[in-house]
Amino acid sequence: MPLPSQDASIAWTFHPHNATLDIVFFGSFISPSGWVGFGINPNSPEMTGTRALIAFPDPNSGQLVLLPYIIDPSVKLQKNPLLSKPLDIHLLASSSTLYGGKMATIHNGATIQIYATLKLVTNRTKNVHFVWNRGIYVQGYSPTIHPTNINDLSSVATIDVLSGSQAICHNNFFTLKYVHGAINAISWGFILPLGAVTARYLRQIESLGPTWFYAHAVVQLSGILLGTVGFAIGIRLGQLSPGRVYGLHLKLGITTFILGMLQTLALFFRPKTTNKFRKYWKSYHHFVGYGCVVLGVVNVFQGFEVMGEGRSYTKLAYCLCLSTLIGVSVALEVNSWVVFCRKAKEDKMRREGLIGSSDIKEERNKVTLGISIRSLTKLNLHGPIGHWAGPSLNGRVMDLISSGGGENYA
């Protein structure tokens, strides 16, 4: 039977009359100095508590050796080295051999077969938890930690040795995993950065008034609500897979979620614009907000690696969306600096007396007068106002137009 990861497989024969199980495990090395292990966890489908047989080249002779190990919590946390000790299960026989016989050598990709015969507890043959893995290095007779990508962290299978069927992952584990990834990529990885862009650049358009604030709030709250759902699914996935630990991804996720909640709660304590503490609140809001956005995007990429999607089209599609958003942001940022520099230049010229406020007012009045004259010309020179005011008003208006009062709108 093929196993879910590492291109491993097993075959077995169960003898009901005496509850003995003959097993052969097929695995492969990933390093000439590495190790391959296979075992049974009598309590739960996880690494901690597994009774394992681990094969590796003897550090003195280079010959293949097979030793028993018990994976306790201190080994999982890397507090203590993994030391060989007798198993507390009824292991009747065990051996290992390389594919190819005596002439075979241990190398990257070398196939190994581990044989074991053990006696099961009579009433615990329904579901047997098989655990396997492989590493790249053995320190003395102590195998070191295995790689921690998704394939190496998914090396657990629960099998009914009587019927030969593999237990179905409860609560649709794999479906939840992909839903978790999709929701978090959309919310923390795109919607929240979009909300930050909305706040930074829409507020510079004076004609929008407070509309930019409401748009920013709606986008960010939508992202937070969706991200909370994704975070809750992630917590549930952790409960469904106690043997898998995604240290960096978990820490980044919790930190990002806390920053998102702090940012949301800050809305209820937003001082008025006249309050002296408003500037401190804005600094806090910007710092926490940008920190949440950056950590969210970083954790999305970390999630792709955890799921083994580091070279997938899904990651490529996300990168294209994020790159588009970044490109638009860069263009808007450049435009903002151009406007800022232009205003700064005008202010400098005003301070140096090269232009005055009266010049600006005169230009504005001229434009306003032009608009008024154009409106009168289009609407009512020959309407009721024109008839009531007589030719004299029409003549005055036309004189103003010809003298330049409406030159910008003629």
Side-chain angles (χ1 to χ4, degrees):
M1 172 186 287
L3 294 173
S5 65
Q6 299 180 351
D7 295 324
S9 60
I10 60 170
W12 72 90
T13 299
F14 180 66
H15 306 282
H17 65 280
N18 58 2
T20 58
L21 182 67
D22 297 324
I23 311 172
V24 56
F25 168 79
F26 302 89
S28 58
F29 285 90
I30 56 174
S31 169
S33 59
W35 56 268
V36 176
F38 171 76
I40 290 178
N41 191 322
N43 301 313
S44 59
E46 59 178 320
M47 181 182 70
T48 302
T50 297
R51 277 63 172 172
L53 295 172
I54 300 179
F56 54 86
D58 188 289
N60 297 318
S61 65
Q63 297 297 315
L64 185 67
V65 295
L66 182 69
L67 296 177
Y69 294 86
I70 297 178
I71 315 300
D72 57 51
S74 64
V75 173
K76 178 180 176 181
L77 298 175
Q78 302 182 55
K79 293 181 178 180
N80 297 314
L82 180 59
L83 302 177
S84 177
K85 63 178 66 175
L87 302 183
D88 55 1
I89 59 176
H90 299 289
L91 180 65
L92 304 179
S94 63
S95 63
S96 62
T97 181
L98 288 173
Y99 182 79
K102 295 182 178 180
M103 299 299 295
T105 58
I106 299 175
H107 59 274
N108 185 9
T111 302
I112 184 175
Q113 300 171 5
I114 299 177
Y115 303 89
T117 299
L118 52 91
K119 186 176 179 62
L120 300 179
V121 179
T122 305
N123 59 351
R124 303 185 71 175
T125 60
K126 178 65 176 176
N127 292 320
V128 179
H129 308 301
F130 294 103
V131 182
W132 64 98
N133 223 308
R134 56 192 181 181
I136 61 174
Y137 182 67
V138 177
Q139 186 174 4
Y141 289 90
S142 178
T144 58
I145 188 171
H146 57 76
T148 56
N149 57 47
I150 186 64
N151 289 325
D152 298 296
L153 295 174
S154 303
S155 54
V156 178
T158 301
I159 298 175
D160 183 351
V161 297
L162 287 174
S163 63
S165 61
Q166 184 172 345
I168 300 175
C169 294
H170 49 294
N171 293 338
N172 299 320
F173 176 82
F174 290 102
T175 301
L176 282 178
K177 181 178 70 173
Y178 287 104
V179 171
H180 165 75
I183 289 179
N184 285 343
I186 293 172
S187 58
W188 302 104
F190 186 79
I191 294 181
L192 291 184
L194 178 63
V197 172
T198 301
R200 180 166 179 80
Y201 301 110
L202 289 188
R203 68 184 303 172
Q204 299 176 11
I205 305 176
E206 296 180 358
S207 60
L208 291 179
T211 304
W212 72 267
F213 172 77
Y214 298 113
H216 169 66
V218 169
V219 173
Q220 296 300 74
L221 288 176
S222 301
I224 287 294
L225 291 176
L226 194 60
T228 301
V229 174
F231 180 79
I233 294 176
I235 297 298
R236 180 57 180 164
L237 287 172
Q239 296 174 348
L240 295 178
S241 53
R244 305 173 190 176
V245 179
Y246 309 105
L248 180 60
H249 185 60
L250 177 63
K251 293 174 183 177
L252 287 175
I254 293 176
T255 304
T256 303
F257 180 75
I258 291 175
L259 291 178
M261 291 299 101
L262 290 175
Q263 190 75 329
T264 304
L265 292 175
L267 291 175
F268 299 99
F269 302 97
R270 181 169 174 256
K272 296 181 179 180
T273 55
T274 56
N275 192 302
K276 64 179 181 179
F277 294 105
R278 175 65 176 235
K279 61 180 180 180
Y280 302 110
W281 182 91
K282 288 181 65 176
S283 299
Y284 160 85
H285 187 66
H286 289 165
F287 177 78
V288 175
Y290 285 124
C292 180
V293 168
V294 171
L295 288 181
V297 172
V298 170
N299 206 28
V300 168
F301 283 101
Q302 180 64 24
F304 279 120
E305 298 301 322
V306 167
M307 294 180 65
E309 301 288 337
R311 296 180 178 272
S312 66
Y313 288 107
T314 305
K315 182 180 179 180
L316 177 61
Y318 173 73
C319 290
L320 290 175
C321 294
L322 186 63
S323 299
T324 302
L325 182 61
I326 293 175
V328 172
S329 302
V330 170
L332 292 174
E333 186 69 22
V334 171
N335 179 71
S336 300
W337 277 101
V338 169
V339 173
F340 173 79
C341 293
R342 185 181 299 169
K343 289 183 178 180
K345 183 178 180 180
E346 291 178 357
D347 293 340
K348 181 179 179 181
M349 294 176 67
R350 187 180 300 110
R351 289 193 301 268
E352 294 176 353
L354 298 178
I355 59 173
S357 58
S358 59
D359 297 332
I360 298 176
K361 291 181 179 179
E362 182 179 349
E363 185 65 24
R364 290 176 179 174
N365 292 335
K366 189 175 181 181
V367 171
T368 305
L369 179 61
I371 295 173
S372 303
I373 294 171
R374 183 178 178 86
S375 302
L376 285 173
T377 305
K378 286 187 175 180
L379 295 177
N380 235 341
L381 282 178
H382 301 289
I385 295 179
H387 290 293
W388 172 76
S392 59
L393 177 59
N394 294 344
R396 292 192 188 99
V397 171
M398 297 308 296
D399 288 342
L400 283 170
I401 294 175
S402 61
S403 64
E407 58 187 359
N408 292 326
Y409 296 89

